[in-house]
Amino acid sequence: MSQTVSLDTLQKDLTFKSDLLLDKNFVLLPVAVPVTDELKKALKEWDFKEFLCDEEMSLGGDMGIAQNSAPSFEEEESHQEIAEQISTSVKKVLEEVNASPEDNSEKNRLANVQKVYNEYVNYINSVYTHYATHKKINLEELSDTVKDLCVFIRENKRYVLRISPSVEARNKNFIVIHSMRSTVLAITIGLEIHLPLSKLIELGVTCILHEIGMLRLPPQLYLTDRMLSPSERAQITTHTVLGFNILKELNFPLSIQLGVLEHHEKENGMGYPRHLTGEKISSYAKIISVACSFEAITAPREYKTERTTFDAMVEMLKNQNQQYDPTVIKGLLYSLSLFPIGAYVYMHNGKIGLVTDVNPTNPMNPLIQIVNEKNRDGTPIIIQTDNGPNKIVRVLTKQEEQDVVKSLNKRNQIEDTAEALEESEKDKDRTKNFSFIDLSEFN
């Protein structure tokens, strides 16, 4: 049960024992992060007067509020244990998925990849939360976890790229979801341009942390559904420098620091914070810039129209004003294809397909899975698109895609029910044919 907290209640250095929310979707202040004068001033300017606090998660007190203080030794150990548990959980799920289950169907593979993906989202959330509460990030643990992620993406790329978080998840955990999705894309590009594993790991760590500077800004700046004023937009741009300073204080490698500092720089010098051009921009920043831009175009948010991955790819390929490194753009194209993995497309022969993989020799003609059709053995029909009868005419609109997905979900439910009934009948037959032993003859 949530309870209302008024603006007058927020005093400097107070911390909440559960997340303080602007509404049911937007986190204003994560658990244990102290209230600041800057936050109170911003809330007054934006006319926010009441907030929500989850009473059930409160550890005590009438409002679930406690005076801010340095974490005790016991609290420090508790947070460290939680971080280790989440990291262990990622590895455990990875091991389960890699154990080659008997059911290695397309449906099961996608479900397993979704499970691993969710664990990584939880892990990134724990990294950000632990920094917010303790000002610490364990580089060794993070690098080890990213190493597993690089291998996982390499082996499951065509499934990972089909995962698309809901609007609700993005709105409530914007930084975490954005960081996760951008990291998947960045590592995918890194694999395509043949970065060695050590560089892929550093790239992944950099991309996960590229928004860490946001934690030193009022959450309303990046969670609001209204247009920001020029001064507010200027304040948002400081997150790159703030992130750089955070990682510098934590003694992270310079290559990671610079990747975070420069991920909004542009090849033409029109980026920020230092208006760098071309070769002056770090290689990690160049990749993250492309990954973030692609992700941002396709991200569903309440204040803007969501666009398709095809729209995003076309915009990136145009490379207006030469903002992005052409080599990185090419890496993006050959990783996802012109019609990106996960897109639903309308074929020249009137059929609808789902893009499932790239054609390494021709990004114009990816592999697709025909919707609502299967081979005789029940496996999906996968075809290579071309410029003839199997030509892609266009991508489906968002509404068309939603209708197709809804139809597929209903079909899957019917098939699952039919399979369950069939298995139940088999069990009955096996029971009928089973010969029970009369134990009385042994008495």
Side-chain angles (χ1 to χ4, degrees):
M1 177 180 177
S2 297
Q3 55 183 317
T4 301
V5 177
S6 67
L7 179 60
D8 294 337
T9 305
L10 303 184
Q11 301 299 321
K12 183 181 178 182
D13 294 332
L14 287 179
T15 60
F16 288 74
K17 294 184 177 180
S18 61
D19 289 341
L20 187 65
L21 309 175
L22 285 177
D23 56 33
K24 292 182 179 180
N25 288 327
F26 294 98
V27 177
L28 170 64
L29 206 60
V31 57
V33 176
V35 175
T36 63
D37 288 335
E38 291 79 9
L39 174 61
K40 289 181 61 180
K41 181 180 179 181
L43 291 173
K44 289 179 180 178
E45 289 178 357
W46 294 324
D47 200 29
F48 287 113
K49 297 178 180 178
E50 293 185 340
F51 319 97
L52 298 176
C53 182
D54 191 345
E55 186 177 25
E56 293 180 358
M57 292 181 65
S58 173
L59 300 179
D62 293 337
M63 301 294 286
I65 305 172
Q67 288 292 337
N68 184 44
S69 60
S72 66
F73 177 75
E74 291 78 7
E75 288 175 328
E76 178 67 38
E77 279 199 327
S78 175
H79 277 271
Q80 187 61 36
E81 286 175 3
I82 291 172
E84 290 175 356
Q85 287 172 6
I86 294 176
S87 180
T88 301
S89 179
V90 171
K91 291 182 178 295
K92 183 178 179 182
V93 172
L94 275 171
E95 289 173 0
E96 292 174 354
V97 170
N98 292 331
S100 298
E102 293 182 7
D103 182 6
N104 200 31
S105 64
E106 191 86 356
K107 180 180 178 182
N108 193 57
R109 284 286 300 277
L110 188 56
N112 283 334
V113 168
Q114 178 76 65
K115 189 185 301 183
V116 174
Y117 184 97
N118 292 342
E119 288 298 328
Y120 271 104
V121 170
N122 292 337
Y123 176 75
I124 293 174
N125 185 67
S126 75
V127 170
Y128 273 72
T129 300
H130 191 67
Y131 176 76
T133 56
H134 288 69
K135 302 298 182 285
K136 293 181 180 180
I137 300 173
N138 187 327
L139 175 59
E140 183 179 354
E141 177 194 78
L142 180 55
S143 297
D144 185 53
T145 305
V146 170
K147 177 182 177 181
D148 292 337
L149 177 61
C150 292
V151 175
F152 181 74
I153 291 174
R154 184 189 65 195
E155 297 176 352
N156 299 275
K157 185 185 78 169
R158 69 191 190 95
Y159 297 100
V160 177
L161 292 173
R162 286 159 62 178
I163 296 174
S164 181
S166 65
V167 176
E168 294 75 19
R170 285 182 182 272
N171 284 344
K172 188 169 184 178
N173 305 291
F174 169 70
I175 292 180
V176 172
I177 297 296
H178 171 69
S179 295
M180 177 62 188
R181 185 60 181 162
S182 297
T183 300
V184 168
L185 290 167
I187 291 174
T188 300
I189 294 170
L191 287 166
E192 183 62 35
I193 62 178
H194 305 296
L195 288 183
L197 182 58
S198 60
K199 297 293 185 183
L200 276 176
I201 293 171
E202 280 200 340
L203 171 63
V205 169
T206 306
C207 199
I208 284 176
L209 298 177
H210 78 278
E211 300 284 33
I212 195 73
M214 289 287 192
L215 296 186
R216 292 189 176 177
L217 295 172
Q220 307 89 305
L221 285 176
Y222 49 87
L223 291 179
T224 183
D225 58 356
R226 63 176 179 78
M227 292 291 291
L228 295 178
S229 67
S231 62
E232 289 167 342
R233 285 197 298 272
Q235 194 173 356
I236 278 285
T237 64
T238 64
H239 79 278
T240 55
V241 176
L242 294 173
F244 169 79
N245 288 334
I246 288 172
L247 299 186
K248 184 177 180 181
E249 292 165 4
L250 295 174
N251 295 315
F252 270 57
L254 180 61
S255 57
I256 296 178
Q257 295 178 32
L258 292 178
V260 169
L261 176 67
E262 298 170 1
H263 72 273
H264 277 291
E265 298 286 1
K266 302 299 181 186
E267 294 289 305
N268 58 13
M270 298 302 291
Y272 64 85
R274 296 187 292 169
H275 308 292
L276 300 180
T277 57
E279 295 180 357
K280 296 178 182 178
I281 304 171
S282 77
S283 58
Y284 296 156
K286 289 172 180 279
I287 296 173
I288 295 172
S289 174
V290 169
C292 284
S293 296
F294 183 89
E295 200 284 329
I297 295 170
T298 61
R301 299 299 304 276
E302 289 187 347
Y303 56 82
K304 75 176 183 68
T305 303
E306 178 186 359
R307 297 167 65 189
T308 67
T309 52
F310 174 75
D311 293 332
M313 183 61 74
V314 170
E315 183 168 327
M316 298 303 294
L317 290 174
K318 287 179 179 177
N319 200 4
Q320 191 171 10
N321 298 322
Q322 299 301 305
Q323 301 178 65
Y324 308 107
D325 186 317
T327 300
V328 180
I329 292 292
K330 184 178 179 180
L332 177 73
L333 174 64
Y334 276 81
S335 296
L336 276 71
S337 87
L338 177 62
F339 305 95
I341 294 174
Y344 283 90
V345 294
Y346 185 74
M347 310 293 295
H348 185 268
N349 56 19
K351 296 182 179 181
I352 293 175
L354 170 68
V355 180
T356 59
D357 209 347
V358 297
N359 177 350
T361 61
N362 188 349
M364 298 285 290
N365 297 322
L367 276 67
I368 67 165
Q369 175 182 321
I370 302 299
V371 172
N372 284 336
E373 291 187 24
K374 293 183 179 180
N375 293 306
R376 288 185 177 181
D377 61 359
T379 58
I381 295 178
I382 306 293
I383 66 169
Q384 171 68 66
T385 57
D386 52 38
N387 294 322
N390 293 324
K391 181 179 180 179
I392 295 176
V393 176
R394 64 176 177 85
V395 295
L396 268 59
T397 65
K398 279 297 175 182
Q399 185 58 56
E400 289 173 335
E401 181 179 319
Q402 290 171 7
D403 292 341
V404 169
V405 171
K406 190 180 297 183
S407 174
L408 287 174
N409 288 338
K410 287 183 179 179
R411 184 186 178 94
N412 289 336
Q413 289 175 359
I414 293 172
E415 290 179 351
D416 290 344
T417 302
E419 289 176 6
L421 289 172
E422 183 179 350
E423 189 62 32
S424 177
E425 289 301 319
K426 288 181 180 179
D427 288 340
K428 289 180 182 178
D429 290 340
R430 283 193 288 267
T431 302
K432 288 178 182 178
N433 297 329
F434 186 81
S435 297
F436 288 95
I437 298 175
D438 186 359
L439 295 179
S440 62
E441 62 185 73
F442 293 97
N443 293 334

